[in-house]
Amino acid sequence: MLAQQRQSAILDLIRQRGGVRVSHLVSRFGVSDMTIRRDLEVLAERGLIDKVHGGATLAGPGSADEPGFAAKSVRQQAEKRAIAERAAVLVEPGMAIALSAGTTTAALARLLSEVRGLTVVTNSVPVADALYQDPRADQTVVLTGGIRTPSDALTGPVAEAAVSSLNVDLLFLGVHGMSPRTGFTTPNLLEAGVNRCLIDSARRLVVLADHTKWETTGIATIAPLAAADVLVTDSGLPGEARAAVGEQVGELVVVDAR
C-alpha cells in the first residue's frame, strides 16, 4: 500500500471512530511505529487530525467553539448515564449540592428525585427542569439568574454573585475538556467564571467527564486537575490517560458504559 493510500485509510478510520491509537494502526497496516507516526504527522500538518499522546483524533473545532445543549446531549449517552449513576451514589439525604451546566450533570439531576431533604444549587436551566419534572416537597432547587449561553448555562455577574453567597457540600462539575497541561476547561469565558465561583462555594469537587473530554481544550481553564477531589469517567479513557489523571486528582473512578 502506498503512503498516500494508507494515510487516506487512516483518516477514514479516525473519522469512523473519532480517534485511534498508534499501536492499533501498526497492527492493522503491518508497518512500523515510525511509519505510522510519519503518516499522522502528514495528516496533522494538513489540519485533518489532532495528534495526541499515543494516537490521534479527528481535528476538533476551535477552543472557543461551543456546541449547544441539544447537540451535546446525543453524544456518549451510555457513558454519561453510567457516570451519572456512579455520581448519584455520593449524594446523601439532607445535603446541599451544586450542579454546573452540562449534559452529564443533567443526567445526574434526573436520578436525584428519590433523595430526601436535598438542596440543589445550579446555573443550568436543563438541570433545574429535570428536578422540577419530578418534584419533592422536601427538596429545594435554587436556580441562579444570569446570561444564558448556548449550553443553557446561566452566567455573568448575577450568576456569580448568587453562587458566591452560598456554601454546599458537593459540587458536580461538567467540563468541556481536560488535560494535564490545561486542566479542566470550557469554551465559554463567562461560564468559566461561574464555575470557579461554584468551586469556591463547595467543600468537595466531583468532576464528571467522559473519555472524549481527554486532550480536548476550551479557551478558559476552570481549575487544574489537582483541584478535583473525585473524577468520575468511563472505561474508554486510555490507560496512559488514567495514569496521568490519577497522579493529580484525589480519586479516579472509572465506570463501564452499558
Side-chain angles (χ1 to χ4, degrees), residues 91-111:
V91 182
E92 300 177 1
M95 275 187 166
I97 66 172
L99 273 66
S100 77
T103 51
T104 311
T105 51
L108 171 60
R110 291 189 283 270
L111 301 176

Side-chain angles (χ1 to χ4, degrees), residues 33-157:
D33 180 282
M34 186 61 68
T35 296
I36 291 298
R37 292 185 186 278
R38 281 198 299 266
D39 289 337
L40 296 180
E41 189 67 39
V42 170
L43 294 171
E45 288 176 354
R46 292 166 58 192
L48 299 172
I49 66 167
D50 291 326
K51 291 176 65 181
V52 298
H53 183 69
T57 61
L58 197 62
S63 60
D65 183 77
E66 183 176 10
F69 183 89
K72 292 188 291 185
S73 65
V74 298
R75 302 175 183 173
Q76 284 72 50
Q77 291 179 317
E79 289 87 346
K80 291 174 181 178
R81 183 169 56 250
I83 290 169
E85 289 173 353
R86 180 60 181 82
V89 175
L90 302 175
V91 182
E92 300 177 1
M95 275 187 166
I97 66 172
L99 273 66
S100 77
T103 51
T104 311
T105 51
L108 171 60
R110 291 189 283 270
L111 301 176
L112 300 179
S113 62
E114 299 303 316
V115 184
R116 295 179 291 102
L118 193 64
T119 297
V120 181
V121 177
T122 186
N123 69 319
S124 167
V125 176
V127 165
D129 284 345
L131 292 161
Y132 286 138
Q133 286 173 8
D134 192 11
R136 286 181 62 105
D138 60 353
Q139 284 188 349
T140 301
V141 180
V142 180
L143 177 63
T144 72
I147 302 166
R148 195 166 180 168
T149 72
S151 59
D152 286 343
L154 299 176
T155 64

Side-chain angles (χ1 to χ4, degrees), residues 230-256:
V230 182
L231 169 63
V232 186
T233 188
D234 66 90
S235 56
L237 190 69
E240 65 269 20
R242 297 186 200 186
V245 170
E247 291 177 355
Q248 298 193 48
V249 303
E251 179 184 1
L252 175 63
V253 178
V254 179
V255 298
D256 288 320

Side-chain angles (χ1 to χ4, degrees), residues 118-204:
L118 193 64
T119 297
V120 181
V121 177
T122 186
N123 69 319
S124 167
V125 176
V127 165
D129 284 345
L131 292 161
Y132 286 138
Q133 286 173 8
D134 192 11
R136 286 181 62 105
D138 60 353
Q139 284 188 349
T140 301
V141 180
V142 180
L143 177 63
T144 72
I147 302 166
R148 195 166 180 168
T149 72
S151 59
D152 286 343
L154 299 176
T155 64
V158 172
E160 291 183 17
V163 169
S164 297
S165 66
L166 302 173
N167 301 290
V168 297
D169 299 304
L170 294 175
L171 164 62
F172 294 96
L173 179 71
V175 298
H176 175 78
M178 58 180 177
S179 79
R181 184 180 66 84
T182 59
F184 300 112
T185 61
T186 173
N188 190 292
L189 292 170
L190 289 175
E191 195 165 347
V194 178
N195 285 341
R196 293 187 197 108
C197 291
L198 284 167
I199 291 172
D200 290 342
S201 75
R203 186 166 56 86
R204 299 185 71 212

